[in-house]
Amino acid sequence: MPRLFIGLEVPDHVSQSLSFLRGGLPGARWIDAENYHVTLRFLGDIDDRTANEVELLLGGIRHGDVEIVLDGLDVFGGTRPRSLFVRVRPSPQLTELQADLERLARRAGLPAETRKFTPHITLARLRDVSSRTAADWLSMKGGFFGQSFKPESFVLFSSRASIGGGPYIAEASYPLW
């Protein structure tokens, strides 16, 4: 039973730039740069029949240009930070692509995603990091703005059961246009 998700790969030059942010945050488990991505839809542990159906349906998705604009650093978890990430600025094109993939997942029989789509690139998983320590690290690193890229495709990724952060395998790639 594969664990699958759909996302956008981060180009090498952007991943390398993001990797320079690593370090200086006790309790952070840093994601390897080659595993940076923007998740569009987590599919989860699904059976082979559903995985094959998703793969076929993905071939029918076509979208225009989607620009990914990095828009600062933040943490998920509020008073109990659990991950450090780079925000991706929402855009109508990105939101439409994610909505199309959500509809596709529902057609394949998967349950609706209950969390609001918050585009981001996870840099680290956090364990026993106080909100104060996370805030201090964020203020020390300053804003991280302005980098952008235009993906040419979206990817069906698989991951093996682990603590998180990869390794992720690109199972199939689908052109955006």
Side-chain angles (χ1 to χ4, degrees):
M1 187 178 291
R3 174 172 288 174
L4 299 175
F5 65 94
I6 304 163
L8 300 170
E9 292 180 301
V10 176
D12 289 342
H13 71 281
V14 176
S15 290
Q16 182 179 11
S17 177
L18 294 175
S19 72
F20 293 134
L21 295 168
R22 296 168 60 113
L25 183 57
R29 231 178 31 251
W30 299 95
I31 306 295
D32 292 333
E34 61 269 13
N35 288 311
Y36 292 158
H37 64 277
V38 178
T39 300
L40 298 171
R41 177 56 156 91
F42 181 71
L43 303 173
D45 296 319
I46 60 176
D47 60 66
D48 289 336
R49 184 195 62 74
T50 305
N52 290 334
E53 186 174 347
V54 166
E55 203 169 349
L56 286 172
L57 290 170
L58 286 172
I61 299 277
R62 290 294 181 267
H63 244 273
D65 280 347
V66 175
E67 183 174 21
I68 302 300
V69 179
L70 306 184
D71 196 24
L73 299 167
D74 209 341
V75 293
F76 285 126
T79 59
R80 299 195 60 179
R82 64 183 187 283
S83 63
L84 169 68
F85 65 93
V86 176
R87 288 187 307 265
V88 171
R89 185 178 303 152
S91 69
Q93 296 83 4
L94 182 59
T95 302
E96 288 171 22
L97 174 60
Q98 191 280 329
D100 284 349
L101 295 171
E102 176 62 31
R103 283 188 289 277
L104 175 143
R106 300 283 309 277
R107 271 198 312 272
L110 297 171
E113 176 59 68
T114 58
R115 294 170 292 183
K116 178 182 175 232
F117 177 57
T118 304
H120 66 280
I121 300 168
T122 301
L123 298 179
R125 306 272 186 230
L126 306 178
R127 179 176 291 168
D128 298 325
V129 175
S130 71
S131 57
R132 173 63 187 243
T133 301
D136 288 347
W137 187 92
L138 289 170
S139 67
M140 198 172 50
K141 292 295 182 175
F144 186 84
F145 301 95
Q147 272 196 311
S148 64
F149 61 94
K150 286 189 175 185
E152 295 179 5
S153 60
F154 59 93
V155 177
L156 178 63
F157 289 100
S158 67
S159 67
R160 62 181 183 177
S162 69
I163 297 172
Y168 303 123
I169 298 165
E171 298 292 343
S173 183
Y174 303 89
L176 282 167
W177 54 86

